[in-house]
Amino acid sequence: MKLIIIGAGPGGYETAVEAARRGIEVVLISDGPLGGTCLNEGCIPTKTLLHAAEQLPEGETPADAALATAQKHKRAVVEQLRGGIALLLGNKLITLVEGHASFAGPHCVTVPGPEGERRFEGDAILVAVGSVSASLPIPGADLPGVLSSREILELERVPRSLCIIGGGVIGLEFASLYRSFGAEVTVLEYAPSLLPRFDTDLSKRLRQALVRRGIAVETSARVEAIDGGDAFSVRFSDKSCAERSVAAECVLMAVGRRAALSSLNFEAIGIECSPRGVVVDDNFETSVPGVYAVGDVTGRMMLAHEASAQGLRALNHICLCADGGSGVPDDGLDFSIIPAAVFTTPELACVGLSEEDCKASGQEFRALKAFYRANGKAMSMDAGDGYCKVLADPVSGRILGAHILGAHASDLIHEAAALMQFGVDAKRAGSLIHAHPTLSEVLQAALRSF
Ligand code: NAD
C-alpha cells in the first residue's frame, strides 16, 4: 500500500512515521520546514521564549538582552527538534519530497520542481496542510509593522508598548510573554470576555490575574482602524460605544487562523469544503473516498495534539479498509476528550465541557472547586494564585469537564482527562491516593468534595 501525505506538521509527519512503522510506503510532501507551524512558528518557539521570560523578575524595565539570548536559545531548540524529526523520517519506506503539491486526480498529486512536474499516485492521500493567520478588513491592517504571530516571534528587542488585537489563545500568550519581558501591553478583545470559547469563570479569573500583572484589557472592543506614524494608534469603540485609541510601538494581529484551503486544487476532484475548512467524517475522510484531511485544515480546534490524533484515526481507517473492514475503527480515540492549555502566566488548561456547554445542552452539573492557596506545594512555590474546578454529573458523579488555572495547569489537566477517558466517576476518583506535597492534590481536593 502507498500513502501520500501533504504537509509535514504534527498531523502529517507523525502519521508518516506511524504508517511506515506499520509497513506502509509513504510519500511525504511539504513546501515548508519539517515540524510545520507547531515547531517552526507556533508552540515550540513560543514556549521556549516563555520559559526564558518566566525566569525574569516581574515588571522590570524592557529586558532586551534577555530576549536576544532567548531568541538564540529558541533557534537552537527548533533546529535540534527539526533534526529529530528528520531522523524519525529516515525510515526507508518514507520518501520526503520538497515542494507544493496539488491534486491532479482523486489518487494523484503533482509537485512542480526544477526538472519539471513530478506526479505521485497513492492508494490513499492525507491532507495536513494547516492554517494561516487571519487579519481584519480594516484600514491599516496591512501596514508594515502590524505583526502576525510568526513575525512577533522574531523580535530581537522588546517593544516598549504592544497593542494586541484579539484576546484569544495567541493574543494572551504573547501578552503574557512580552509583559514578562517588560513591555507595556494592551489587549483589545471583540467578545465580552477573553478566551470566548473557554469556561467564563476561568477566563474571568485569568483576566484578573493578567490585569494584576499590569496588562491592560479591554473587552467588547471593536477595532476600527490602525493609524501609522512614529507609533501606531489603534482606534476602537469600547463597550459604551465611545471612540478611543491605544498608542503602541508594535501591534499584533491575533484574531484567529483560517484553514489553508487555497492552491491545492480541491475543487478539481470535488473535495467538499465549508468556509471553516475541509469537511470530514468521523474517520477524517473527505467527500472523496480515500482522501483524508486532518488538523487545522479541517477548521476544527486548531491544536497540534488533535492533528496527530486525527492522523492516527485516519491511518487506522485506511488500514481497516485495506483489510476489508468498514466503519469507525475501534482504536479508543475519543475526540470529545481533548485537553487544551493556554501558556499564559498563570497557565490555564481544560478538558471536556465548560459550565456554558452544560447549560446550553441542559446537562445538570455540580461544580467541585479547590484553590491553590490551600495546597502546601503551591504555597511553597509562591504559586497560591490558582483554582481548579471539576464539573460532575450530580447523580452519577460522571466527570463532564475539568478546568484549572494556575502553576502547571497544563500538566495537571491530564489526570482529569484520564479519569474521563476511562469512565472513573468523581467519587471513585477522589479515593485515589496522591503524593504529598504536590500540586496534583488540588485536583484531588476538588474531587473529594463530591
Ligand atoms: P482564537 O480564535 O483563539 O482567538 C481570536 C480572538 O480574536 C477571539 O477571542 C476573537 O473574539 C477575537 N477577535 C476576532 N475579531 C476581533 C476583532 N475585530 N477585534 C478584536 N478581537 C477580535 O485564535 P488565535 O488566538 O489567533 O489562535 C488561533 C488558533 O491557534 C486557535 O484555534 C488556537 O486554539 C490555536 N492555538 C493554540 C495554542 C495552544 O494550544 N496553546 C496556542 C496558540 C494557538
Side-chain angles (χ1 to χ4, degrees):
M1 182 167 30
K2 191 165 175 180
L3 171 64
I4 296 175
I5 298 180
I6 310 172
Y13 86 78
E14 291 200 21
T15 309
V17 172
E18 177 58 19
R21 201 187 63 79
R22 295 184 193 185
I24 297 171
E25 196 185 330
V26 178
V27 177
L28 177 61
I29 308 168
S30 179
D31 61 4
L34 294 179
T37 303
C38 166
L39 174 56
N40 297 286
E41 51 188 70
C43 317
I44 302 300
T46 323
K47 268 80 249 178
T48 312
L49 294 184
L50 203 55
H51 176 72
E54 283 172 349
Q55 316 305 311
L56 297 168
E58 187 71 13
E60 295 290 302
T61 48
D64 291 327
L67 178 61
T69 308
Q71 290 289 17
K72 225 167 128 185
H73 179 55
K74 178 201 81 179
R75 286 189 283 273
V77 168
V78 170
E79 201 169 310
Q80 188 180 353
L81 290 173
R82 229 189 271 135
I85 296 174
L87 274 180
L88 285 172
L89 294 172
N91 188 309
K92 62 181 181 328
L93 285 173
I94 302 175
T95 306
L96 200 53
V97 176
E98 278 180 38
H100 183 84
S102 56
F103 280 93
H107 294 281
C108 177
V109 298
T110 55
V111 181
E115 280 137 39
E117 190 176 82
R118 291 161 289 173
R119 279 176 84 81
F120 299 94
E121 303 216 344
D123 302 292
I125 300 181
L126 180 95
V127 178
V129 294
S131 59
V132 293
S133 291
S135 188
L136 287 180
I138 55 165
D142 50 6
L143 281 172
V146 174
L147 306 174
S148 66
S149 57
R150 178 173 50 78
E151 292 160 333
I152 200 167
L153 269 172
E154 300 303 323
L155 298 182
E156 292 287 336
R157 174 184 167 277
V158 179
R160 274 41 190 168
S161 49
L162 170 64
C163 177
I164 299 180
I165 305 175
V169 184
I170 291 182
L172 295 189
E173 289 189 353
F174 281 109
S176 190
L177 192 161
Y178 277 104
R179 179 70 199 122
S180 297
F181 276 116
E184 293 293 330
V185 179
T186 304
V187 176
L188 302 177
E189 165 58 47
Y190 181 75
S193 62
L194 296 177
L195 295 174
R197 285 180 290 170
F198 285 69
D199 189 286
T200 308
D201 178 16
L202 274 277
S203 69
K204 276 188 185 150
R205 290 170 193 266
L206 176 60
R207 176 183 182 152
Q208 288 162 358
L210 296 177
V211 169
R212 275 198 297 277
R213 292 187 52 212
I215 296 171
V217 175
E218 289 282 343
T219 46
S220 302
R222 176 193 288 272
V223 176
E224 274 149 7
I226 306 169
D227 301 320
D230 287 344
F232 292 104
S233 172
V234 182
R235 286 189 274 137
F236 68 100
S237 65
D238 70 11
K239 56 166 107 31
S240 53
C241 296
E243 298 295 320
R244 292 170 52 197
S245 65
V246 177
E249 181 188 329
C250 267
V251 176
L252 168 66
M253 187 66 80
V255 293
R257 294 181 65 85
R258 54 186 171 74
L261 293 177
S262 58
S263 76
L264 272 101
N265 210 13
F266 286 141
E267 54 291 345
I269 61 161
I271 293 180
E272 189 189 343
C273 296
S274 77
R276 285 179 68 86
V278 179
V279 176
V280 288
D281 65 12
D282 289 346
N283 293 315
F284 301 95
E285 195 168 21
T286 68
S287 55
V288 175
V291 178
Y292 295 77
V294 300
D296 290 10
V297 76
T298 63
R300 297 183 175 195
M301 279 169 81
M302 294 186 174
L303 299 170
H305 49 284
E306 181 164 10
S308 318
Q310 292 175 351
L312 190 56
R313 162 61 59 79
L315 179 62
N316 291 339
H317 187 251
I318 292 165
C319 294
L320 180 71
C321 294
D323 289 342
S326 62
V328 177
D330 181 18
D331 54 15
L333 293 168
D334 184 341
F335 290 94
S336 70
I337 304 174
I338 297 187
V342 187
F343 294 88
T344 40
T345 307
E347 289 182 357
L348 188 156
C350 64
V351 62
L353 301 182
S354 65
E355 285 202 27
E356 289 74 24
D357 294 332
C358 291
K359 286 172 191 160
S361 64
Q363 166 70 53
E364 297 281 320
F365 65 89
R366 242 179 88 184
L368 314 171
K369 300 177 181 176
F371 293 87
Y372 275 49
R373 63 173 178 268
N375 177 278
K377 180 70 181 290
M379 293 308 285
S380 69
M381 292 164 62
D382 200 16
D385 187 13
Y387 170 68
C388 168
K389 178 171 77 177
V390 176
L391 303 177
D393 184 286
V395 180
S396 67
R398 183 167 67 92
I399 300 172
L400 306 165
H403 306 268
I404 306 176
L405 175 71
H408 295 278
S410 61
D411 298 311
L412 299 177
I413 200 68
H414 294 91
E415 182 181 347
L419 295 170
M420 289 172 70
Q421 171 109 359
F422 302 113
V424 183
D425 63 63
K427 202 175 172 85
R428 274 175 64 217
S431 67
L432 181 73
I433 299 167
H434 287 64
H436 176 77
T438 61
L439 293 177
S440 71
E441 291 170 292
V442 178
L443 183 64
Q444 183 192 36
L447 291 164
R448 281 192 173 165
S449 69
F450 183 76

